[in-house]
Amino acid sequence: MAEQKDNLGQTAKSAQSKRPNQTSQSSGVPDAFAAPDHLADDRPDSAIGAGARAGDRASATVERRKQRYLIGFRSLPGIMSLPSDPFFERLAQMDNVEIIRRLPGNGVQATPLTSNAAAPAAMSSETVVVRMDEQRGEALRQNAPPHVIVERDAPLGYSDMLIPEPLGWQHAVQAMPFPRPRRELRFRILGEDERPIANAVINMYGPGFPSQAVTDSSGQASLQTNAVDGTGIHAVYVRPAADYWERYIRNPSLESGQVNVIRLSPLARTSRSFPGERPYGWGQRIMKFDRVSSDWKGGGTKIGLIDSGCDSSHPLLRHIVRGVDLTRDRDPQSWNSDELGQGTHCAGIVAGSAAAAATPVSGTASAEIVGCAPDAELHIFKVVPGGYLSDLIDALSQCIERRLDIVQIGVSAEQFSEIVAQKITEARLNGIACIVGAGNSGGAVQFPGNVPGVLSVSAVGKLGEYPQDTRHAQRALPQLIAFSGIYATNFSAWGPQVGMCAPGVAVVSSVPGGGYAAWDGSSMAASHVVGFSALLLSHHPMLQSINYGARADQRVSALYDILRAAAIPYAQVDPNRVGAGLPDLQQVPGLLPTGQQQFYGTPIGIGTAGLSLGTLQPPFSPPDTYPGGPRSMNTLLQLRAAGLWL
C-alpha cells in the first residue's frame, strides 16, 4: 500500500461556489453528512483575530488550532457497502476542510472464518485524514450516516515511566500562590572509579513543581527550588542514560552552598551457572527460556514493533535492517533514530542477538544480554514521537502487507478508536497476533490494550532483582507479593482485558547509543510475551501443522489458548491484575518431551538441581480445566487427540 498525499484542498477553492446541499444531491451522499449551513459559510481561521492583520507581522493571536479527524466506514449487517468517493468529494468541497492524507484499503483479503469459500470476508475500505475546526468536526460526527465513522485523529502516546514522579509526593506538587525566592542546588553524579556520568536526568521533588536537569560532561547540573533550605526536599531521583543503576533517595541531606555528590552503581552483570552458558535476564529465567534448547531462537518468525524506532547501530541490534519512519512520510532511514529509547529497549528484549555484537562495550553488560527470539525477523515501525492514530493504522496495514506473524503495539491513545479497532481485527483475520502492554497509568487498561482480539499484558516484578535505593523497589503492591517474590505492580494498568502478565520491572536491555539500562513498564512485559510467542510459532508442532500453520484467525486463537494454558496464575491475586498468569515454557502443552516438562513445582527429568516452580503459588485450577472458555478447552482437546498433551 502506498500512502497518498492529497491536494484536494486546492480543489475545494475552485468548487466553493457550489452549494453544499446541491453537491450532496448530485453525489448521492445523504444530506445528513453535510455540515449545517452556518458552518459551511464560516470564514477561514486566518481571517479571524488581530494576528491576521496585514500590518501585524511580528505577532499572532493565540487561538484554538484546527483538529485532525479520521473518516472511515463500518460494515453493517443487511446494508450494502456504498462507495466512499462521493463522501470524499463532498469533503473536498467544504470550506476550511483540508484532506491531508488518504489511507487506501489494503486490498488484502482476509481469510473467511467459515468453511464456505464463496463468502470471503470484506476487504478494508479507504480512510482519510482531514483537518478542520472542532465545531465542524463535531457536526460531521453527529450527522454522519450509520456506516460512516468520524473520530479524532488523536496523537499517539508512549510510556510515561521514563521520568516518573514519586507516587507519595503528588500532594506536594502544586503551584505556589505567590512568587517566592528560588535557591540553587548543585549536583554532581559519579559512577565507577569516580568517573563523571553525563546525560543523567536529576529530578528533585519539593515545594512547588518538581525541578529537573541533565548533567553535563563533567557530571554536574544545577536545579532551582522553592525550599527554604535543603531540608525541604522530599526526594531526589537520578536516572542515568545507560550502564548504571538509577538512584532514588528519600529525604536527602542537601547543602545549598556545596556540590552535592551522588554515586551510582554499575549495572550488575547477569550471573551464569556454567561457563559458556547462554545468558538470560531475570524475566527470561522466570519464564524458563533457560530450560529449552539454546537452538530455539525464533527463526522463521516475522515480528513487527510499532514504537519509537530502533537504534540499529547498537551492538545487539545490528542485524535489524527493516524499518520505516511513519512520522516522516515513510522515511526509510530515520526509523533507526530513537529519541525516546523505548523501541530500542523492547527490540533488545525481543530479538537482541549476541552474534550481532562484534565487540562488547567496555564496562557494560553487553556480553550478558540476549533477546528472547534473536533469530526472528524484526520489522520496525516508528510512530512516536509526533505520530497519530492514522500512523498506527498505516503501520498495521504494512504489517498485513508484509505478512507478519506477531505485532507488538508499544503506543497508546487517550481515546478509543473504532477505525483502529477495525484495522486490528483485520490484522487478526490475516493471522497476525497483536500483543500490547496494558499501560502504565495504574488505572484502567489503555487503548489499544482494551480492543477485543489483542493480547493485553500487565507488568510484574520480582524482589531481589535490583538495589533497594532505586525506584524499582517502589513498584510492588505489598498485599500482592507471592512467596516466590513475584508481585503485581502499582503502575501497571489493570482490568478484565488483561490477558496475562510478564516481567516488567528492572528489565535490562539495550538503549540508544550502544548502552544498556534497567527500565520498568508494561511494554517491557509485552516484549517478553512477544518473544515467548515467537518460540511457540517456530517450534510448537500444533502451530506448524496444516490446520494451524496458515496465517488466519484460527492460528492466532490457538496461539493465545496455548499461552493461557502455559500461564501460572497466583492464588489470592486478582486476575484483573495478572490475567491468566505468567507464561512458563515448561508448562506449554506439547512443546517439550514429557521428561522435560514440569508442573506446579515438581521437577521432572532434570534432577535435583532443576529450577523448581514450587515457590510459585499453585494455579486456580489444573491447566486442562483452566477457565479459558470453550475455545480454550477445544484447543486442549485437540492437543490430546494429536498426542501432544497427556
Side-chain angles (χ1 to χ4, degrees):
M1 182 191 75
E3 177 186 335
Q4 301 176 5
K5 291 296 180 182
D6 201 294
N7 61 355
L8 292 180
Q10 300 296 327
T11 306
K13 296 182 179 178
S14 62
Q16 287 180 1
S17 59
K18 213 167 192 178
R19 296 295 299 169
N21 54 3
Q22 292 174 347
T23 304
S24 177
Q25 293 173 1
S26 63
S27 62
V29 181
D31 290 339
F33 189 71
D37 290 339
H38 74 279
L39 290 180
D41 295 331
D42 283 348
R43 295 183 59 79
D45 289 351
S46 59
I48 303 175
R53 292 197 299 266
D56 193 354
R57 303 293 185 186
S59 63
T61 301
V62 177
E63 299 174 345
R64 293 178 66 90
R65 64 177 179 272
K66 291 184 177 181
Q67 299 296 321
R68 296 166 57 111
Y69 287 85
L70 288 168
I71 298 181
F73 302 88
R74 63 172 67 93
S75 298
L76 297 177
I79 299 179
M80 182 178 64
S81 299
L82 298 177
S84 58
D85 288 344
F87 292 96
F88 300 151
E89 292 175 2
R90 175 69 188 93
L91 282 173
Q93 294 170 358
M94 288 184 180
D95 294 338
N96 301 327
V97 175
E98 178 188 4
I99 297 180
I100 59 177
R101 190 176 187 186
R102 301 185 74 149
L103 299 170
N106 282 84
V108 179
Q109 183 169 294
T111 303
L113 295 177
T114 65
S115 59
N116 183 12
M123 292 184 291
S124 62
S125 59
E126 185 178 19
T127 300
V128 298
V129 183
V130 302
R131 184 183 288 116
M132 54 188 164
D133 62 76
E134 289 183 278
Q135 189 178 13
R136 182 185 295 277
E138 182 62 20
L140 289 178
R141 189 188 67 80
Q142 292 181 357
N143 293 287
H147 66 289
V148 177
I149 305 171
V150 180
E151 60 186 22
R152 281 277 312 282
D153 186 20
L156 292 173
Y158 44 89
S159 173
D160 57 356
M161 296 298 296
L162 301 185
I163 305 296
E165 177 184 330
L167 298 177
W169 307 122
Q170 281 96 336
H171 64 278
V173 180
Q174 50 187 302
M176 302 302 295
F178 52 86
R180 292 176 64 175
R182 295 178 66 83
R183 290 172 170 79
E184 181 180 78
L185 288 174
R186 292 180 296 164
F187 291 87
R188 191 177 189 200
I189 310 302
L190 300 177
E192 200 171 20
D193 299 327
E194 298 293 293
R195 287 180 294 190
I197 299 177
N199 299 318
V201 180
I202 305 174
N203 289 269
M204 186 170 63
Y205 302 91
F209 291 100
S211 300
Q212 184 181 103
V214 180
T215 58
D216 57 20
S217 59
S218 65
Q220 298 193 60
S222 298
L223 289 86
Q224 300 289 326
T225 177
N226 289 319
V228 176
D229 52 37
T231 60
I233 304 300
H234 301 301
V236 171
Y237 173 57
V238 181
R239 186 175 181 274
D243 303 330
Y244 286 89
W245 287 107
E246 61 181 40
R247 187 102 183 262
Y248 175 61
I249 306 174
R250 290 176 178 268
N251 301 318
S253 175
L254 302 175
E255 297 291 340
S256 58
Q258 301 179 22
V259 176
N260 298 275
V261 177
I262 298 178
R263 292 175 174 82
L264 305 183
S265 301
L267 280 177
R269 296 174 182 266
T270 305
S271 61
R272 303 193 196 187
S273 300
F274 303 99
E277 182 182 351
R278 182 179 172 185
Y280 296 92
W282 78 264
Q284 294 167 322
R285 293 194 305 272
I286 204 69
M287 296 174 73
K288 302 304 192 306
F289 281 87
D290 59 337
R291 294 296 168 179
V292 298
S293 172
S294 59
D295 295 331
W296 287 20
K297 299 180 180 180
T301 307
K302 299 167 70 175
I303 302 173
L305 179 58
I306 303 176
D307 213 299
S308 60
C310 174
D311 181 6
S312 59
S313 66
H314 193 285
L316 294 187
L317 306 176
R318 292 171 182 163
H319 60 299
I320 300 175
V321 296
R322 300 169 179 85
V324 61
D325 186 351
L326 299 177
T327 68
R328 297 186 179 181
D329 297 334
R330 293 195 175 189
D331 189 323
Q333 303 296 330
S334 56
W335 60 269
N336 53 23
S337 175
D338 185 1
E339 299 92 335
L340 304 176
Q342 179 173 285
T344 303
H345 199 271
C346 291
I349 299 172
V350 174
S353 174
T359 55
V361 180
S362 176
T364 70
S366 61
E368 312 296 333
I369 301 294
V370 67
C372 298
D375 285 357
E377 182 180 298
L378 198 59
H379 296 242
I380 304 299
F381 302 91
K382 182 177 179 178
V383 296
V384 289
Y388 295 85
L389 288 172
S390 54
D391 297 306
L392 176 55
I393 294 171
D394 194 359
L396 289 168
S397 293
Q398 291 196 50
C399 292
I400 296 172
E401 286 182 353
R402 300 185 189 195
R403 297 176 61 80
L404 303 187
D405 300 295
I406 309 169
V407 173
Q408 178 178 344
I409 304 176
V411 293
S412 61
E414 294 182 354
Q415 69 179 49
F416 187 94
S417 169
E418 183 179 352
I419 297 177
V420 172
Q422 287 187 161
K423 181 61 67 173
I424 290 175
T425 299
E426 181 186 350
R428 174 160 177 163
L429 291 175
N430 282 277
I432 299 176
C434 293
I435 299 177
V436 187
N440 302 322
S441 66
V445 174
Q446 297 176 298
F447 179 86
N450 54 6
V451 173
V454 307
L455 181 61
S456 185
V457 184
S458 64
V460 295
K462 186 175 185 294
L463 299 178
E465 297 295 338
Y466 41 76
Q468 287 302 303
D469 59 349
T470 63
R471 283 301 312 278
H472 309 303
Q474 310 296 321
R475 305 302 191 194
L477 289 171
Q479 68 275 24
L480 298 179
I481 301 177
F483 293 138
S484 62
I486 297 177
Y487 56 80
T489 61
N490 53 20
F491 65 82
S492 189
W494 58 287
Q497 300 90 350
V498 173
M500 59 185 51
C501 61
V505 177
V507 177
V508 178
S509 184
S510 49
V511 291
Y516 302 83
W519 285 5
D520 307 338
S522 61
S523 289
M524 287 76 238
S527 295
H528 280 88
V529 176
V530 168
F532 194 104
S533 301
L535 294 192
L536 295 183
L537 290 175
S538 296
H539 303 286
H540 200 289
M542 178 179 176
L543 295 175
Q544 293 186 329
S545 66
I546 296 176
N547 293 333
Y548 292 97
R551 289 180 171 86
D553 173 64
Q554 290 88 339
R555 185 178 70 160
V556 178
S557 299
L559 172 63
Y560 289 173
D561 290 340
I562 293 173
L563 284 170
R564 294 187 186 99
I568 302 178
Y570 304 106
Q572 300 179 356
V573 174
D574 187 353
N576 287 328
R577 293 207 177 261
V578 298
L582 186 68
D584 185 316
L585 278 170
Q586 288 189 302
Q587 302 291 333
V588 176
L591 180 64
L592 299 175
T594 304
Q596 295 182 24
Q597 287 189 315
Q598 174 182 343
F599 298 100
Y600 316 126
T602 305
I604 301 177
I606 58 176
T608 57
L611 180 62
S612 172
L613 287 178
T615 55
L616 294 177
Q617 302 302 317
F620 293 111
S621 53
D624 58 340
T625 58
Y626 183 77
R631 190 166 59 188
S632 297
M633 177 62 69
N634 183 54
T635 297
L636 295 179
L637 291 175
Q638 291 172 341
L639 284 168
R640 282 200 182 99
L644 301 176
W645 175 267
L646 298 179

